[in-house]
Amino acid sequence: MLSSVSALKAGRRAFAAGVAHGMASDSTAAKSSTRHISPSTYSALEARLNITFSDPKLMEQVCTHRSFEQGRLASNDRMQWVGKRVLNLYVGEFLAAKFPNLTVEMLQDMQHANFGLASLAEVAKHFGMLPAMRWESVVKEAPHVGQTKVLGKSVQALVGAIYQDQGAAAAKKFVAQHLLTRTVDVEAV
């Protein structure tokens, strides 16, 4: 198994190769439902995150929102639903252990501020998920409307996919390595 640093480097090289071979840019990520995303884009994303799904199409589904192609393709809805609950469990355990004197309300506010959809959207961008995303804005004249919500939910879907494909221990390890290592902003609540 590759170390996190070498996996990120390998993923970045594969991602760069995908860009060099005509992959759509960030600015077109939300604009067109007809754009083709190379399978190498999804394998590069898996490499960056040091994930190997049993089904090579799973990462593509993680990155497909139900708005894409009017919902005619398999989307990340069910994975997102599971992933949201898995994240809530692991993040809740982490915050309760790290801040044992905070009230439940404060823990909930902290979870929302640090691990809500806006925060997870930033994580998705850090992961390099945006070029792999397939979705359509409800506002055709403003193709980025809804992007934060879609990206945040894609991270939840990713956690759900790991949970369903590789089990609870793998999902917990991924959350611990990629989300719980981030600085928790106590002042955000």
Side-chain angles (χ1 to χ4, degrees):
M1 186 173 260
L2 296 171
S3 72
S4 294
V5 172
S6 60
L8 278 172
K9 287 179 181 176
R12 286 185 182 132
R13 283 192 300 273
F15 177 74
V19 170
H21 288 94
M23 189 181 72
S25 70
D26 285 2
S27 63
T28 60
K31 290 183 183 177
S32 173
S33 67
T34 59
R35 74 184 185 101
H36 173 73
I37 299 174
S38 167
S40 66
T41 301
Y42 299 112
S43 43
L45 183 55
E46 284 186 29
R48 270 196 308 285
L49 299 175
N50 201 21
I51 299 169
T52 304
F53 286 120
S54 61
D55 178 356
K57 291 281 194 183
L58 202 51
M59 185 59 86
E60 182 178 350
Q61 188 175 349
V62 163
C63 294
T64 303
H65 186 262
R66 71 174 173 245
S67 63
F68 183 72
E69 296 289 334
Q70 292 84 37
R72 291 189 297 261
L73 301 176
S75 76
N76 64 11
D77 271 356
R78 292 180 80 73
M79 290 180 275
Q80 183 269 330
W81 186 84
V82 170
K84 179 178 181 178
R85 278 119 190 102
V86 171
L87 267 172
N88 283 340
L89 171 63
Y90 297 147
V91 169
E93 285 179 346
F94 171 76
L95 292 175
K98 186 167 179 139
F99 304 102
N101 296 325
L102 293 182
T103 66
V104 170
E105 292 78 14
M106 291 177 77
L107 288 171
Q108 287 174 329
D109 291 345
M110 191 177 300
Q111 182 166 0
H112 178 73
N114 291 279
F115 302 97
L117 290 180
S119 180
L120 292 177
E122 292 305 313
V123 170
K125 290 176 186 176
H126 176 75
F127 287 169
M129 293 180 80
L130 185 58
M133 293 303 298
R134 300 189 313 169
W135 71 286
E136 295 175 5
S137 174
V138 293
V139 182
K140 298 301 177 197
E141 299 79 28
H144 294 290
V145 170
Q147 179 174 287
T148 298
K149 188 174 181 179
V150 168
L151 284 172
K153 287 184 173 198
S154 71
V155 173
Q156 292 173 336
L158 178 60
V159 171
I162 294 168
Y163 182 87
Q164 290 177 320
D165 187 64
Q166 300 171 11
K172 188 171 189 171
K173 180 180 177 184
F174 181 85
V175 170
Q177 288 178 340
H178 294 284
L179 296 170
L180 301 182
T181 55
R182 298 170 58 233
T183 303
V184 175
D185 184 6
V186 181
E187 299 298 321
V189 294

